[in-house]
Amino acid sequence: MLAFLRHAPSPLFGRRGLDLDFPMLAGCLALLGLGLVMITSASSEVAAVNSGNPLYHMIRHLIYVALGLGAGIAMLLVPLSAWQRLDWVLLLAAFGLLILVLLPGVGREVNGSMRWIGFGAFNVQPSELAKVFVVIYLAGYLVRRQEEVRESMWGFAKPFLVLLPMAFLLLLEPDFGATVVMMGAAVAMLFLGGVGMIRFSLLVIAAVGAVVVLVQTQEYRLQRLITFTDPWADQYGAGYQLTQALIAFGRGEWFGVGLGNSVQKQFYLPEAHTDFVFSVLAEELGMVGALATIALFAFVGVRALYIGLWAEKARQFFAAYVAWGLAFLWLGQFLINVGVNVGLLPTKGLTLPFLSYGGSSLVVTCASMALLLRIEWESRTVLGSEDTEFDEADFAEPPTKEVAHGR
């Protein structure tokens, strides 16, 4: 199998060498590097006290980065047609993982949530895999049932027979943030798939109503909603985390207190290297650093959307839907995390893609990056076009005139 992939056309092994979308790759690697620096800084005090080694979390994060890049290299070798054929298998795997994590003795409970499956010293978060698997499944469905989705209510409604049970499993963990991100990406994919405006508007109204009901059915969700509107009313209780994050932003001012000089990371701000790493970044690098980070992530997110557009122009519709779905997963999670950090949204347990400490999230994000790079390469080389078939011989010799990739 590995020998076959090694000799199959891919952006890694060709006469042109690495044939990747370098602006996209550079943006993602810049975010990974910034994340490593900020995690080293934000976790040093906690790691020194809890483990005796201030670099404990940095070392573990480096291991996850290596695993993520390894997974990314593997993803670059796999043709998109393979993922399209396996979309149902991946969907069943997602359901299996989300059920396993809820079983006593299998799932690990952390801070009152059953979101992880333990493998020795490492934890796997099934929801991270499930979100990507749902995107791949839904992309395949939109290709197979394109006309039905656009023209009939039943074709539009059928994906929710799968999405709603999966959302229910996520809420049992509970993982409200992952549910919102997954459903948001799915709705956006359906809209781009050609769903009529009336049906889409009804879906948005139903989604907003569902969120309102879910918030009111759980006391802790309602309390978070009330608290984030005025965290200073209970700054040493329910509003403690948000008030400490806002203090971090205030201390950072325009240019920050300097890398490594954060005060809030010294046991004032809980989860400083995971959910609230952006607050520490704003404190140490200031508003200028925070805005530069937002701009970099905006570039990566918009680039991912353009990759989907290029795939659509190449008539590779499955690739286009996957690219758009992954872009919406990234952008949705980024907006929620930053919104939580600055107090615009209630506190949710969502990591910041590429930047936050978190094994499963980081590995899956790197794999998603590689999948986007593979989509861009296939759309540019017209590999897998519905109108054109290629074999290995077509890639044996370089073109007579080198054409620069100037996107």
Side-chain angles (χ1 to χ4, degrees), residues 22-212:
F22 285 104
M24 179 69 168
L25 180 62
C28 293
L29 292 180
L31 286 172
L32 278 175
L34 178 61
L36 178 62
V37 171
M38 293 313 307
I39 285 166
T40 303
S41 175
S43 67
S44 58
E45 301 294 333
V46 174
V49 171
N50 293 339
S51 68
N53 180 7
L55 300 180
Y56 172 79
H57 291 296
M58 185 208 75
I59 294 171
R60 287 178 63 89
H61 189 74
L62 275 174
I63 295 173
Y64 290 131
V65 169
L67 291 174
L69 293 178
I73 291 173
M75 294 289 286
L76 286 171
L77 297 175
V78 181
L80 285 169
S81 57
W83 300 116
Q84 188 171 4
R85 289 193 299 268
L86 294 173
D87 59 354
W88 269 101
V89 176
L90 296 176
L91 181 68
L92 293 175
F95 272 108
L97 290 170
L98 292 178
I99 292 172
L100 279 176
V101 77
L102 297 173
L103 298 179
V106 178
R108 286 186 176 178
E109 184 175 350
V110 179
N111 295 330
S113 298
M114 295 280 286
R115 301 180 185 176
W116 295 268
I117 297 176
F119 293 93
F122 298 95
N123 292 326
V124 174
Q125 192 169 358
S127 62
E128 295 294 336
L129 290 169
K131 288 184 292 188
V132 176
F133 290 170
V134 163
V135 165
I136 293 174
Y137 161 76
L138 191 55
Y141 175 82
L142 288 172
V143 171
R144 291 191 302 270
R145 306 288 184 179
Q146 188 176 56
E147 292 302 320
E148 189 178 358
V149 168
R150 291 179 176 181
E151 297 178 1
S152 75
M153 181 63 74
W154 176 236
F156 164 69
K158 276 196 290 187
F160 292 96
L161 298 178
V162 171
L163 294 172
L164 292 179
M166 187 166 291
F168 177 73
L169 290 173
L170 287 171
L171 291 173
L172 288 179
E173 294 183 5
D175 196 343
F176 186 66
T179 306
V180 171
V181 170
M182 183 191 74
M183 295 299 289
V187 169
M189 290 175 68
L190 287 169
F191 177 73
L192 293 175
V195 172
M197 186 58 68
I198 294 177
R199 282 176 287 160
F200 181 76
S201 300
L202 293 174
L203 175 61
V204 171
I205 294 172
V208 172
V211 170
V212 172

Side-chain angles (χ1 to χ4, degrees), residues 198-392:
I198 294 177
R199 282 176 287 160
F200 181 76
S201 300
L202 293 174
L203 175 61
V204 171
I205 294 172
V208 172
V211 170
V212 172
V213 172
L214 288 172
V215 168
Q216 293 180 340
T217 54
Q218 293 289 337
E219 181 63 29
Y220 79 95
R221 293 186 191 131
L222 185 60
Q223 185 60 42
R224 284 182 177 180
L225 184 63
I226 296 172
T227 300
F228 102 97
T229 58
D230 185 13
W232 303 101
D234 190 14
Q235 62 176 334
Y236 297 110
Y240 178 77
Q241 200 168 27
L242 179 54
T243 55
Q244 296 303 313
L246 295 176
I247 290 172
F249 277 93
R251 293 193 73 253
E253 298 184 352
W254 282 104
F255 298 103
V257 297
L259 189 63
N261 295 327
S262 168
V263 171
Q264 295 304 105
K265 70 181 181 181
Q266 299 179 16
F267 296 93
Y268 291 102
L269 178 61
E271 311 294 341
H273 60 294
T274 55
D275 299 346
F276 283 86
V277 68
F278 189 75
S279 297
V280 177
L281 183 150
E283 183 182 3
E284 295 188 347
L285 303 183
M287 185 59 68
V288 172
L291 291 177
T293 302
I294 292 174
L296 182 58
F297 202 95
F299 167 77
V300 169
V302 172
R303 189 79 176 183
L305 292 173
Y306 269 102
I307 287 174
L309 179 62
W310 297 330
E312 184 187 39
K313 289 182 177 179
R315 299 187 63 79
Q316 298 180 13
F317 299 113
F318 173 77
Y321 290 131
V322 171
W324 287 328
L326 294 177
F328 287 124
L329 287 180
W330 285 4
L331 291 170
Q333 197 158 328
F334 176 80
L335 290 173
I336 291 175
N337 183 279
V338 173
V340 167
N341 274 254
V342 300
L344 292 177
L345 294 172
T347 303
K348 298 306 306 169
L350 280 177
T351 57
L352 189 59
F354 293 107
L355 269 72
S356 292
Y357 177 83
S360 298
S361 175
L362 186 63
V363 172
V364 171
T365 300
C366 290
S368 301
M369 170 194 69
L371 187 53
L372 285 165
L373 292 174
R374 175 82 194 197
I375 290 171
E376 189 276 338
W377 178 79
E378 288 200 12
S379 66
R380 179 160 41 88
T381 59
V382 205
L383 182 68
S385 170
E386 64 178 18
D387 298 322
T388 309
E389 293 185 0
F390 289 88
D391 56 33
E392 188 175 336

